[in-house]
């Protein structure tokens, strides 16, 4: 029996945990500077909280928790006692039986639990409520490179306000986070109202969903193929020709300029005017405030599949050689909590894809090289007397905040040095009879191989200023 | 439909997340100073990794993940097609059927996943391997006050060494963590070898488990009741009398002195001598190094139920008015990974009970009052022109690390102030036409009610030095 983790899940070793924490800590610090506060929800939700929120495909990918004891008993006895069974007819109400097997499930994203949270705690929250949440989610997707069954989402949302300044601040948040990561990014923005106007413009106002799904595919499929598939879905030839024209024009026109073109085209479509006005406001404020490094770009072909978006939609792509696809997304919604009986709660939210950002930072060597965690100094253990001396010293060092350890056994020197090497400990202290007598230590820099004998009192200074 | 979380699980609102993070951050920083590194394992483990590791009762409390698609199909068809069913005999192999329903489970503790991790990654780790792990675990226990179905464990373990200096360092870790928390604690220590010798001493060498279970109950039940229950379990009257004598003597003797008493009593029992020697070593080193605040006490009646302990065992109790019971535990084991095919990996580990520490810190008002998270300054929003001015200022403040926000809408002043109050934001900036003209802001201290008009350039200094 060779132990392993379940398919699509991962262990994280110390070096990887450190890098992941660098990502989370960076994002968290920016969220907090913008007034967002952390909440946490349980990994388990009631199954009924989740089902029906992610479409049929999503429902299928929810991990369910098997009921226990009496509940499981009840589910099973429902079968056992079925006269249909006894007579060999099989279970008729298969669906009901399966739903009896599980009442609970693992959360599938952070948005639905957040909606549930807002409704449940509405009297304890200050609205507009800004929250961030960095927690794992679970999806029974087929695992593949970069796609896991257990992965972290890093979400921020503000609910209870229509103010477009929230969108402006999300652009600033994207900008600041990726500035800290040293990653140049393009922040793409569109507006669901503009897509809706586009559907009207091409004479297919009732086919918005099919249109957005198709547009979403444009970065993976040739324009011709996407257009052909629309015709198959009942779009008229005229609609498709109009759409194709607009899309081609958008590709050959600079983003902001194309917003002006659309203003003319959608002259008679109120919703389109509204969407263009919203984006105009966001661009204007972002211009006033300035960005550190990111570029904000209008992109008509940005659609995002989620149906609950009603205003601005975002996507962030790295402007680097490394091809990792979209690393953030988000958008505005009119009604987050209606499904839980609290209508009219509008808001806007964004999400950072931690795994993709990890791969990206690996690819561009973007992780910081200075050590902010992990042992800084190891004492070699030569035996009880020396170990006693070092153990005492450890107390002083640790009280100064130095992360330090004593090799626990007086093993062979070679073994101890290999350990220090494997653990990438930058300094090793060697303390033998001579050093004890003179109250000094011999300090070895594991990177350069240099050795220094110095008074015990100089140790912290030396470690901190090298 | 009133939304809620599943039984025994909790949402954490921002103020609680902050306090919990204070606990985790404090423990983490101490672990790291002692050379421990973080690892993470997935919430889901293969069911076979977990079953059989926690006893029958534990097995019953493991949350299982319902299989999906073909696997579930297969499990169910096993029933549907059963000739036993068709003939009305019911399912015979009920157990096999249930095990077909689930291959995966939620982790029940951090120890078994850690053992699995060590075996799986043995070639990637530097031994002796020190790891810490702060992650949630799930148990289908009946929820009650202070007991949840989803809760965090904070574990540290070192494996691959017999060195008793590890035990010494755990005493130091307990001491340092609770010194930081400002909680006086008693660290109780015993040794499984001493308990084993006790079983031999009273003439019941084959009844160690029953003896430890009984001793474990002594802090909840009267001595007489516990003794009576031992007689019912087949201990002879002589055994029980001897045991009672030793326990009474231990109660009336100071801990360390009683260790000397036992040294005499167990003169002929090698294992007892070994256990006493081990504890003697730990006490000697701890004496040499000194503790900040905690007291280390030998306690013969400390047993800890877990059978895998073979050496020192620990328990930490707060020395406060608040009654929360044991807040940490731990011990040494000879063989952590044998169950996964890697024998002889000995080690020692400890665990902090985060929920109990939380309750304790609440009870003694032990959480820090200085704000290390949460918005520090809110700008009131009087309309577009003022908001533009404030939004620009926000950039400066945030670049100085100030957590600041602008109320997103130009709502009524009263509403905005209530929001700031509810969110416990300590400062509010009021910027109207006058302030814009003079490039000043009016700063209101929400605690004192004081208002100050100051030049924009003085704002950061004012916030940082008040």
């Amino acid at each position: 029996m060779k132990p392993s983790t379940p398919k699509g899940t991962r262990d994280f070793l110390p070096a990887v945990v450190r890098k992941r924490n660098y990502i989370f800590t960076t994002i968290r610090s920016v969220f907090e500077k913008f007034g967002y506060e952390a909440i946490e929800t349980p990994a388990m939700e009631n199954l009924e909280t989740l089902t029906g929120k992610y479409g049929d495909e999503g429902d299928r990918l929810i991990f369910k928790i098997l009921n226990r004891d009496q509940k499981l008993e009840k589910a099973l006895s429902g079968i056992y006692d079925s006269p249909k069974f006894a007579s060999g007819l099989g279970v008729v109400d298969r669906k009901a039986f399966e739903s009896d097997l599980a009442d609970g499930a693992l959360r599938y994203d952070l948005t639905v639990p957040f909606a549930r949270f807002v409704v449940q705690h509405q009297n304890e929250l200050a609205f507009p409520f800004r929250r961030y949440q960095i927690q794992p989610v679970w999806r029974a997707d087929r695992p593949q490179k970069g796609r896991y069954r257990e992965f972290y989402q890093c979400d921020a949302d503000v609910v209870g306000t229509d103010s477009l300044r929230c969108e402006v601040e999300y652009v600033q948040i994207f900008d600041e986070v990726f500035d800290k990561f040293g990653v140049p990014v393009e922040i793409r923005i569109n507006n669901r109202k503009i897509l809706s106007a586009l559907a009207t413009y091409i004479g297919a106002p009732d086919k918005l969903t099919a249109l957005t799904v198709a547009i979403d595919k444009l970065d993976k499929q040739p324009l011709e193929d996407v257009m052909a598939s629309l015709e198959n879905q009942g779009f008229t030839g005229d609609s498709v020709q109009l759409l194709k024209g607009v899309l081609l024009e958008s590709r050959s026109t600079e983003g902001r300029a194309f917003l002006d073109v659309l203003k003319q085209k959608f002259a008679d479509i109120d919703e389109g005017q509204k969407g263009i006005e919203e984006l105009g406001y966001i661009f204007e404020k972002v211009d006033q405030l300035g960005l550190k490094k990111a570029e904000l770009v209008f992109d008509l072909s940005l659609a995002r599949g989620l149906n609950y978006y009603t205003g601005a939609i975002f996507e962030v792509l790295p402007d680097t050689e490394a091809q990792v696809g979209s690393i953030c997304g988000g958008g505005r919604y009119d009604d987050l909590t209606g499904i839980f009986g609290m209508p009219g709660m509008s808001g806007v939210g964004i999400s950072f894809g931690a795994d993709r950002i990890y791969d990206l930072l690996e690819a561009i060597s973007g992780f910081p090289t200075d050590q902010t965690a992990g042992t800084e100094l190891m004492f070699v253990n030569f035996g009880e007397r020396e170990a006693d001396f070092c153990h005492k010293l450890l107390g002083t060092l640790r009280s100064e905040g130095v992360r330090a350890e004593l090799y626990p056994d007086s093993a062979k020197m070679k073994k101890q040095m290999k350990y220090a090497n494997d653990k990438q400990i930058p300094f090793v202290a060697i303390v033998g009879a001579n050093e004890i007598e003179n109250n000094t230590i011999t300090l070895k820099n594991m990177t350069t191989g240099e050795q220094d004998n110095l008074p015990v009192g100089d140790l912290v200074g030396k470690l901190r200023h090298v």
Side-chain angles (χ1 to χ4, degrees), chain A:
Chain A
M1 166 187 176
K2 203 170 150 48
S4 65
T5 60
K7 198 164 70 158
T9 68
R10 297 164 286 173
D11 285 328
F12 297 113
L13 275 75
V16 178
V17 171
R18 277 209 283 275
K19 289 177 181 173
R20 287 169 58 86
N21 283 345
Y22 165 71
I23 293 174
F24 297 138
T25 305
T26 303
I27 294 172
R28 180 181 295 126
S29 74
V30 176
F31 284 162
E32 291 189 350
K33 276 209 281 180
F34 281 76
Y36 288 76
E37 298 186 295
I39 68 160
E40 290 178 16
T41 63
M44 281 193 267
E45 292 280 350
N46 291 318
L47 184 55
E48 61 180 9
T49 299
L50 304 187
T51 39
K53 312 302 190 299
Y54 305 106
D56 288 348
E57 176 62 10
D59 275 2
R60 232 179 41 78
L61 300 181
I62 293 172
F63 278 110
K64 298 175 188 169
I65 316 273
L66 186 62
N67 280 339
R68 299 168 38 266
D69 299 341
Q70 299 94 324
K71 272 190 181 170
L72 181 60
E73 214 52 57
K74 186 174 157 281
L76 298 183
S77 69
I79 294 192
Y80 298 155
D81 302 341
S82 163
K84 303 245 166 65
F85 252 126
S87 60
L89 292 175
V91 168
V92 174
D93 200 354
R94 168 71 178 270
K95 211 165 167 150
F97 163 62
E98 280 185 38
S99 79
D100 278 349
L101 282 178
D103 291 339
L106 293 177
R107 89 184 137 229
Y108 180 85
D109 71 358
L110 301 178
T111 305
V112 170
F114 175 54
R116 195 258 315 137
F117 177 99
V118 168
V119 177
Q120 188 175 332
H121 302 284
Q122 53 186 287
N123 297 323
E124 304 158 73
L125 304 177
F127 290 98
F129 179 57
R130 287 184 173 92
R131 84 87 172 79
Y132 75 86
Q133 195 171 352
I134 300 180
Q135 290 195 280
V137 302
W138 293 266
R139 296 184 183 179
D141 252 323
R142 183 186 303 273
Q144 47 179 268
K145 188 177 163 2
R147 189 195 284 166
Y148 305 97
R149 292 187 154 191
E150 174 173 334
F151 60 97
Y152 270 70
Q153 289 194 331
C154 311
D155 282 19
D157 285 85
V158 49
V159 292
T161 174
D162 295 325
S163 170
L164 292 169
R165 286 200 189 260
C166 301
E167 278 86 336
V168 174
E169 293 212 329
Y170 282 131
V171 173
Q172 293 184 293
I173 286 175
F174 287 137
D175 180 45
E176 183 156 346
V177 167
F178 290 105
D179 180 58
K180 280 178 191 281
F181 286 144
V183 174
V185 294
E186 190 176 279
I187 303 167
R188 297 191 186 164
I189 192 168
N190 194 1
N191 193 302
R192 269 298 174 104
K193 297 185 180 78
I194 291 177
L195 290 170
S196 177
L198 181 61
T200 303
Y201 179 75
I202 64 169
D206 55 331
K207 296 197 174 68
L208 177 58
T209 302
L211 179 67
T212 54
V213 170
I215 285 182
D216 228 11
K217 290 185 180 144
L218 283 175
D219 54 350
K220 287 173 206 116
Q221 290 176 22
L223 185 61
E224 292 302 334
D225 295 4
V226 174
M227 295 301 111
S229 91
L230 281 178
E231 287 206 53
N232 290 336
Q233 289 173 67
F235 282 71
T236 65
D238 283 355
S239 287
V240 171
Q241 279 313 310
L242 259 175
L243 175 62
K244 194 174 155 186
V246 176
L247 289 172
L248 284 174
E249 197 177 347
S250 89
R251 286 182 179 185
S252 61
T253 317
E254 188 274 324
R256 298 275 286 273
F258 193 65
L259 212 47
D260 294 330
V261 173
L262 286 182
K263 201 171 164 61
Q264 305 303 320
K265 286 193 199 295
F266 298 164
D268 299 329
I269 309 172
D270 286 352
E271 202 177 5
Q273 293 299 321
K274 185 82 171 59
I276 291 164
E277 195 184 295
E278 289 177 6
L279 288 194
Y281 179 91
I282 296 167
F283 272 108
E284 183 199 326
K285 298 298 168 192
V286 168
D287 280 349
Q288 275 173 24
L289 297 164
L291 294 179
K292 291 172 197 289
K293 205 169 186 174
E295 207 188 341
L296 180 66
V297 177
F298 169 63
D299 180 0
L300 180 66
S301 71
L302 169 65
R304 294 193 67 76
L306 296 168
N307 265 322
Y308 54 77
Y309 288 134
T310 52
I313 43 182
F314 295 110
E315 205 161 85
V316 178
L317 282 116
D319 200 1
T320 58
E321 299 277 299
Q323 298 292 320
V324 300
S326 147
I327 48 182
C328 302
R332 176 170 285 279
Y333 36 81
D334 268 347
D335 181 12
L336 179 71
T337 55
I339 35 169
F340 296 116
M342 186 188 185
M345 183 58 73
S346 75
V348 50
I350 59 170
S351 186
F352 287 79
D355 285 306
R356 284 192 174 178
I357 293 172
Y358 186 98
D359 293 343
L360 176 64
L361 291 181
E362 276 291 18
I364 65 169
S365 304
F367 285 107
T369 49
D370 58 318
Q371 205 168 15
T372 58
T375 300
E376 298 164 271
L377 174 68
M378 184 194 88
F379 285 91
V380 172
N381 186 332
F382 285 117
E384 274 305 289
R385 185 162 160 263
E386 292 84 353
D388 277 349
F389 183 87
C390 297
H391 207 151
K392 195 96 193 171
L393 256 178
L394 276 176
T396 316
L397 289 168
R398 287 169 180 159
S399 73
E400 302 271 350
V402 177
R403 296 181 301 276
E405 61 182 275
L406 166 68
Y407 193 90
D409 311 286
S410 57
K412 287 213 176 95
M413 180 75 167
K414 197 176 155 191
K415 190 174 172 189
Q416 299 191 40
M417 294 308 273
K418 180 178 184 317
Y419 167 86
N421 234 332
D422 287 349
K423 206 172 164 178
Q424 294 178 36
I425 299 175
F427 289 95
V428 166
I430 298 160
V431 179
N434 273 343
E435 281 86 356
I436 294 180
E437 196 171 316
N438 303 315
N439 206 31
T440 62
I441 71 146
T442 297
L443 188 69
K444 178 169 181 161
N445 181 323
M446 296 292 281
T447 320
T448 63
E450 231 176 300
Q451 274 193 207
D452 250 347
N453 187 274
L454 62 160
V456 158
D458 293 357
L459 186 51
V460 174
K462 177 86 179 170
L463 287 173
R464 286 296 184 225
H465 299 109
V466 168

